[in-house]
Amino acid sequence: MDTDAAGQGTAKVRLSKSLSAGEKAATASRKEKIKAALAELGIPHDSDNVPNIAVLGSGGGLRATIALCGTLVELKNHDLLDCAMYLTGVSGSTWCMTSFYKTENWTERLQELETLQRESLTQDRWEFEIAARALLKAASDENYSLTEFWSYFVVYQMLNELDETTLSELRGSSENGKNPYPVYAAVNNNTYAENLAGTWFEFTPHEVGIPDLGAYVDTKYFGSVFENGQMIEEKEEKNICYLQGLWGSAYGRKADMNKIIRDALGLFRVSMRRYSGGFHLFYKLYHVLMKTTTCLHQWKWGTTNNFLYKCCGDEVYNLSSEKTISLIDAGPAINTAYPLILHPERNVKLILSFDFSSRDPFMTIEKAADHCAKFGIKFPKIDEIKSEDKNNPSGCYIFRGKDAPTVMHFPLFNKDNCPGKIAEYKMQFATNKLKYSNGEIEKLLAAAKKNVVNARQKIWEEIERAVAPSS
């Protein structure tokens, strides 16, 4: 970010395909932790050139939130998590990540955080007054959309927390070297179906931007008004609860989303009645109700000020000609953030992709291969998957290619961790499931952890292969 001499802030769009200064510093610090972890595991490595390893968590609602928690706990138990440079999430995986990164040394406290997650998900802490206050504030913005309502009246109920911290406030836990560097994903609602350039947006504690176009703004100014690459009006930074709604706004079929929102609107109407005697407050709540209903009819999601407005020329699929853009969950594009982690300067050589999807267990990696082929990105060849594997997958698949990163692909439910019960598990832990009992959380955690336990030797071997000193 550029600032004036007084430090008052003359923020500009950064036009570059290089990593942010914050990410460079954070990953340099993390590299020292990785070297120590490799030494602890007895893995030979070139201390001057340690290739990066990334852990990817897919979308999948609360199923992904819980499963990523179990996955990270077990990777840590086997001293494998400390070898990872990056942790990237889509949708429900981002909900787990943001809750962890509030703790500066979270990788060292995973057992404790697992317990806290279980307690949070099984307790009813949602309060109408807190949600309504947040919604009233959000509705005063001209860019109000269903995302705000979804965040405060659905995601808040599911996670039992309205997190008012901001992403930029979590820089400490990404800079201290103790944790992998986090990358969160969203996509442009108007371009993802055609997979056009400029579709994928990344969110880190330092910057929000579009890697394939090389355009970024400081995370503190995401949502502020920009023109010609210069900030002309600063807006308050969006809180984590809003971002959780933005990143996790694709919840199965549109019909499922529609029903969930209409049910939440019904709760909103019922709760409003207690304020019918206070005309001023009741009127404001009624105004929010009408505004949300209009957004529902228009199916308006994730509207925010476009920091590329009048910045880069109309040739970039009209991105520069629109004052606002619509960002949504990356799940409908690719349910795992391969396009972000494959940024050339991230130099990722090994990807541990934990797929928590409920449908075809290979759809994410096949879509990733298609994306990479279209944009000339090196990616291993994905051989045709046998139909029996799609219906009854193993717990781990390894894909390698010349001059391409190695991908280890882990379907959540498989013949190794729930033999003969894959369909049963998928039904019990459906994406549109909004609440989990203690017993269900324990069962899902066990399945996710078993995946890591079963594959720990293979993971060790692939890390050894990735970081082996050049001959």
Side-chain angles (χ1 to χ4, degrees):
M1 183 196 80
D2 294 323
T3 59
D4 61 19
Q8 293 298 311
T10 307
K12 295 180 180 179
V13 175
R14 182 174 73 89
L15 297 175
S16 171
K17 292 195 175 182
S18 66
L19 302 178
S20 70
E23 180 174 343
K24 289 178 180 177
T27 52
S29 178
R30 176 65 175 173
K31 188 145 290 191
E32 298 308 308
K33 177 73 171 180
I34 292 171
K35 291 177 185 177
L38 293 172
E40 185 71 22
L41 287 169
I43 296 178
H45 59 280
D46 180 348
S47 61
D48 295 324
N49 184 27
V50 179
N52 295 332
I53 298 167
V55 174
L56 274 59
S58 81
L62 283 179
R63 177 184 62 246
T65 305
I66 298 164
L68 181 59
C69 174
T71 298
L72 296 174
V73 168
E74 204 60 33
L75 285 172
K76 179 65 176 181
N77 287 344
H78 297 283
D79 300 318
L80 300 170
L81 183 58
D82 288 336
C83 298
M85 177 63 79
Y86 289 100
L87 176 58
T88 303
V90 168
S91 197
S93 284
T94 69
W95 299 348
C96 175
M97 289 170 60
T98 48
S99 69
F100 285 0
Y101 277 91
K102 288 191 295 182
T103 303
E104 292 220 352
N105 59 339
W106 68 262
T107 56
E108 299 169 6
R109 298 174 59 187
L110 274 168
Q111 294 291 346
E112 174 189 346
L113 292 174
E114 178 189 327
T115 300
L116 290 175
Q117 184 193 79
R118 183 187 291 113
E119 291 174 354
S120 178
L121 293 179
T122 53
Q123 294 177 10
D124 186 9
R125 298 174 183 168
W126 185 84
E127 296 183 31
F128 174 79
E129 288 79 6
I130 294 175
R133 185 171 65 246
L135 201 61
L136 283 170
K137 181 179 178 180
S140 65
D141 191 280
E142 66 274 11
N143 291 327
Y144 177 80
S145 71
L146 287 176
T147 300
E148 283 84 352
F149 185 80
W150 176 260
S151 298
Y152 303 131
F153 270 76
V154 180
V155 175
Y156 169 25
Q157 286 194 62
M158 293 165 63
L159 302 181
N160 286 310
E161 180 183 22
L162 197 158
D163 191 340
E164 296 186 280
T165 58
T166 63
L167 187 56
S168 67
E169 290 175 339
L170 304 184
R171 288 178 179 174
S173 57
S174 68
E175 294 173 343
N176 58 21
K178 295 179 180 180
N179 312 305
Y181 190 77
V183 183
Y184 307 88
V187 293
N188 187 328
N189 192 28
N190 296 321
T191 62
Y192 83 85
E194 298 176 78
N195 193 21
L196 302 178
T199 288
W200 282 80
F201 282 64
E202 70 176 32
F203 293 70
T204 75
H206 296 99
E207 288 187 333
V208 175
I210 313 169
D212 61 346
L213 298 184
Y216 300 87
V217 291
D218 190 297
T219 299
K220 291 182 292 186
Y221 303 119
F222 169 68
S224 291
V225 181
F226 284 79
E227 191 171 322
N228 296 314
Q230 184 86 34
M231 186 174 75
I232 60 174
E233 182 185 354
E234 183 176 347
K235 298 281 190 177
E236 184 178 355
E237 184 178 355
K238 301 289 189 181
N239 63 34
I240 291 292
C241 188
Y242 168 83
L243 292 176
Q244 288 171 334
L246 176 70
W247 300 329
S249 55
Y251 222 65
R253 299 174 303 147
K254 181 177 178 179
D256 294 331
M257 290 280 286
N258 197 302
K259 182 180 185 306
I260 292 169
I261 293 171
R262 289 185 180 278
D263 288 346
L265 279 170
L267 173 62
F268 187 91
R269 292 189 189 95
V270 170
S271 300
M272 273 179 58
R273 293 173 186 167
R274 75 184 72 170
Y275 301 100
S276 58
F279 176 78
H280 183 65
L281 181 57
F282 180 81
Y283 175 78
K284 290 201 295 185
L285 291 170
Y286 180 78
H287 176 70
V288 172
L289 176 64
M290 291 300 98
K291 199 168 185 178
T292 305
T293 302
T294 299
C295 290
L296 180 63
H297 291 317
Q298 297 173 344
W299 205 241
K300 181 182 177 183
W301 288 89
T303 306
T304 190
N305 291 308
N306 178 16
F307 62 82
L308 285 181
Y309 180 55
K310 293 185 178 180
C311 181
C312 299
D314 291 338
E315 69 276 5
V316 189
Y317 299 101
N318 294 320
L319 266 179
S320 63
S321 65
E322 301 293 334
K323 287 187 176 181
T324 62
I325 50 176
S326 173
L327 299 183
I328 62 168
D329 189 324
I334 303 174
N335 202 28
T336 301
Y338 283 104
L340 304 183
I341 210 62
L342 290 171
H343 186 304
E345 290 206 9
R346 289 195 166 122
N347 190 33
V348 171
K349 298 301 183 184
L350 174 62
I351 296 173
L352 310 183
S353 178
F354 293 90
D355 194 318
F356 310 130
S357 307
S358 63
R359 298 181 184 175
D360 181 343
F362 300 96
M363 183 181 294
T364 56
I365 195 168
E366 290 176 335
K367 280 189 172 184
D370 291 342
H371 173 91
C372 290
K374 178 176 180 177
F375 291 99
I377 301 169
K378 296 289 187 180
F379 198 73
K381 186 177 185 300
I382 308 302
D383 297 324
E384 185 175 349
I385 308 296
K386 298 177 181 178
S387 59
E388 54 264 36
D389 276 319
K390 292 201 172 189
N391 295 324
N392 193 33
S394 298
C396 176
Y397 294 82
I398 301 174
F399 301 94
R400 302 188 188 95
K402 185 179 180 181
D403 299 323
T406 295
V407 176
M408 300 188 75
H409 180 74
F410 304 87
L412 175 57
F413 301 133
N414 54 73
K415 62 186 179 184
D416 301 320
N417 68 355
C418 52
K421 297 183 178 181
I422 293 175
E424 176 187 317
Y425 271 64
K426 285 185 176 182
M427 184 175 296
Q428 181 176 4
F429 303 112
T431 303
N432 60 3
K433 186 178 180 66
L434 304 183
K435 291 292 180 182
Y436 278 71
S437 67
N438 262 310
E440 289 170 329
I441 291 174
E442 191 61 42
K443 184 176 179 180
L444 184 51
L445 285 171
K449 290 177 180 181
K450 192 170 184 180
N451 262 1
V452 176
V453 171
N454 291 343
R456 63 190 184 279
Q457 182 62 29
K458 291 180 180 178
I459 297 173
W460 190 95
E461 290 170 357
E462 291 306 319
I463 291 175
E464 183 181 43
R465 181 191 295 264
V467 305
S470 301
S471 56

